[in-house]
Structures are given as structure tokens and as C-alpha cells.
Amino acid sequence: MKAAIMSNVKQNVSRQAPWAAFGAVMLIANVSCGKVPESAADVKLAPAVEIATKPSITGKVTLKGADSAQLRKIVDVGGNPFCTGHGEIVDSTWRVAADGALADAVITVRGSQRASNLPETAPLIDQTKCEFVPHTIAIQPGQNVRFHNSDLTFHNIRIARHEAGTRGKGENIDNIGQPSRGDENVKVFNTPGIYRLECDVHRWMSAWVFVHEGVHAAVSTADGRYEVSRALADGEYVVEAWHPQFPKNLSQTITVRDGKATADFEFDFTQAFQL
């Protein structure tokens, strides 16, 4: 595995023998069937420029045609002794508020540039209480993501390059083992696209890394709100909304005036992937 793709930052000496043994066998099987991850040298990234940190596009994402209470499902953890200790785990497939506010939608601006002035600390996805937190992040090409295990149990992170327009198709590109609490790994995502994260030990655990062409992207929160926090020059832009439960993006053309604009999106449940 190439150092440019994934570097191990911390590995605790202690191990939980039963889970580690099971995980080692599982990971060997999965990695042997996966593809070799891309290297930084294989991808030519667009030049990064300084882009001011300043809110430009804001809005709200909602879902119509579905009852939020009916979409809320409790995960069956199968009697897992560690995960049952945290109480109910809510299925992350749909995170919808009573007013229809939809979380985990990724809002992107076409023609966005990469930014050179990024925070020093890379975004973090934590494996905590048998869930990935946060469930969805958006980054630009060439950006690192930190993966951390806060649980006293074996986790892994199988990374698949998601096939757009499908519910769960794609190709496995990496599989990272995190057997113990405190284990942390870093991976760089060079190629724009959507990446699905799964834990093979706890099959309900999933998350998404959306690698946009540039820095102008945001993820809707529990109240459906989002904010593109990078400056945009006045003019017209195509803004898109993606959610993993829909085969097609929503898009609209907006006009930025005095550096600001608003774009609301409403997904129709009847257009979602059906079970």
C-alpha cells in the first residue's frame, strides 16, 4: 500500500484478541479482492488558489412525500455485546426532521476551484458508539481525511468508489483495519467522486466522503440547513444537491449578488431508491 495514500498515525499495542483475529482474516479476504488505491502521482490536480473563508450560498434541504417518523428505524445489532451497551442506534439511511428537513445532502457549485488556504487539521470521521460520525463530509481533491476508532471494539473501514446513480454499486479501493480504541489512520482522496465507507464487522455502519472538484461544497445538517463557506464572485452558478438515497441530483441556476445567494432544494420521496 503506497504511503501517499494511507499513513498509519497511531496504532495501540493492546488488542482485543477475538475481534482482532476475526478482523484480520476478514481484512485479508477483502483487500485481496480489492483494487490497488490510486497514488498521488496518478492524478493531476488543478492548481489551488487562495479563496476567502466567507459565506456565499446558504439554504435548506427538505424531503416531501414521506413521514419522518416512519422513516426512522432502529438498527438490529444482533446482540453485539459492545454495541448494545450504547442504547438504541438509529439507522442513518434517512435523517429527516418532523418539518421535512433533510440531513446529509451535499450541495456543490459547478466550476469550483481548489483552495490553498485549508485548515491545518484534516476532517475527522470517528467510529464511535458503533456509528460513523459524521455520516457525510465534503472535501476537495488532494485533501486528507482522518479515520479514528473511539470504541473498545474492532472496526474496519472499507472504502468503495461509489458508482453515481446507483444505490450501492462501486469498486473497493481500500480497506483499513482499526482494531483498538485510539487507532487512527489518514487517507488522501485525490480523485473527485463519491466514496462509500462501510464497516464489515458492524454492517449497519456506513458513511460518505464526497470529493468535489473544488472547495465550494457543503453538507446539510439535522435542520436541513447548509452554508457554502467560501467566497464567490458575483455572477451565475449552477448549484447541485446530492443525497445517497436518490439516483439523480437536483440542480438550479442561481445568481450571486454582493457575494451572496440562496438556494433551497426539495427532494421528492417518490423519486428515491425503493426497497
Side-chain angles (χ1 to χ4, degrees):
M1 187 171 296
K2 300 183 180 180
I5 294 300
M6 193 265 293
S7 60
N8 185 267
V9 176
K10 180 180 179 183
Q11 288 286 339
N12 286 351
V13 175
S14 63
R15 290 292 180 266
Q16 297 173 336
W19 283 113
F22 168 76
V25 173
M26 178 196 66
L27 286 177
I28 291 172
N30 279 320
V31 173
S32 64
C33 296
K35 294 192 175 183
V36 177
E38 68 184 15
S39 72
D42 295 332
V43 180
K44 185 176 181 180
L45 300 178
V49 298
E50 186 166 339
I51 301 174
T53 302
K54 179 182 177 182
S56 54
I57 303 176
T58 58
K60 183 174 182 178
V61 184
T62 55
L63 177 70
K64 73 172 183 179
D67 185 337
S68 61
Q70 293 178 336
L71 292 177
R72 186 178 186 273
K73 299 183 184 300
I74 303 302
V75 172
D76 179 4
V77 301
N80 182 288
F82 178 80
C83 298
T84 53
H86 299 299
E88 292 182 339
I89 298 176
V90 179
D91 189 340
S92 60
T93 301
W94 292 104
R95 292 206 300 147
V96 187
D99 67 348
L102 180 62
D104 301 317
V106 179
I107 313 302
T108 58
V109 180
R110 286 188 194 173
S112 174
Q113 289 182 289
R114 293 176 64 240
S116 59
N117 52 326
L118 296 177
E120 291 185 5
T121 303
L124 172 70
I125 293 181
D126 196 9
Q127 292 173 304
T128 178
K129 298 180 179 179
C130 295
E131 296 183 84
F132 283 106
V133 177
H135 182 254
T136 307
I137 66 170
I139 62 172
Q140 68 176 22
Q143 198 167 356
N144 289 327
V145 175
R146 293 182 298 137
F147 298 113
H148 186 85
N149 182 3
S150 292
D151 286 341
L152 282 170
T153 191
F154 185 101
H155 287 305
N156 76 296
I157 306 162
R158 179 161 51 85
I159 304 175
R161 185 179 287 110
H162 183 68
E163 183 180 329
T166 71
R167 185 165 195 165
K169 294 182 179 180
E171 58 179 354
N172 293 335
I173 63 170
D174 217 339
N175 205 324
I176 304 169
Q178 300 201 133
S180 301
R181 172 184 277 181
D183 285 351
E184 185 166 305
N185 291 274
V186 176
K187 179 177 175 65
V188 60
F189 290 83
N190 289 308
T191 304
I194 304 167
Y195 297 83
R196 191 175 64 251
L197 313 180
E198 297 176 353
C199 175
D200 293 300
V201 183
H202 310 99
R203 295 298 298 167
W204 64 85
M205 290 178 61
S206 66
W208 300 88
V209 176
F210 192 113
V211 185
H212 185 42
E213 61 184 327
V215 75
H216 295 93
V219 180
S220 63
T221 53
D223 62 359
R225 302 285 178 182
Y226 73 89
E227 177 184 89
V228 176
S229 61
R230 294 294 180 138
L232 281 168
D234 287 0
E236 288 192 345
Y237 297 88
V238 175
V239 183
E240 296 183 314
W242 170 88
H243 188 276
Q245 297 307 313
F246 290 86
K248 294 183 179 180
N249 295 351
L250 301 180
S251 67
Q252 59 178 285
T253 300
I254 56 99
T255 300
V256 174
R257 291 191 179 94
D258 297 326
K260 295 184 177 181
T262 300
D264 295 331
F265 292 91
E266 183 179 63
F267 283 93
D268 185 345
F269 184 72
T270 63
Q271 303 301 312
F273 291 114
Q274 300 301 312
L275 294 176

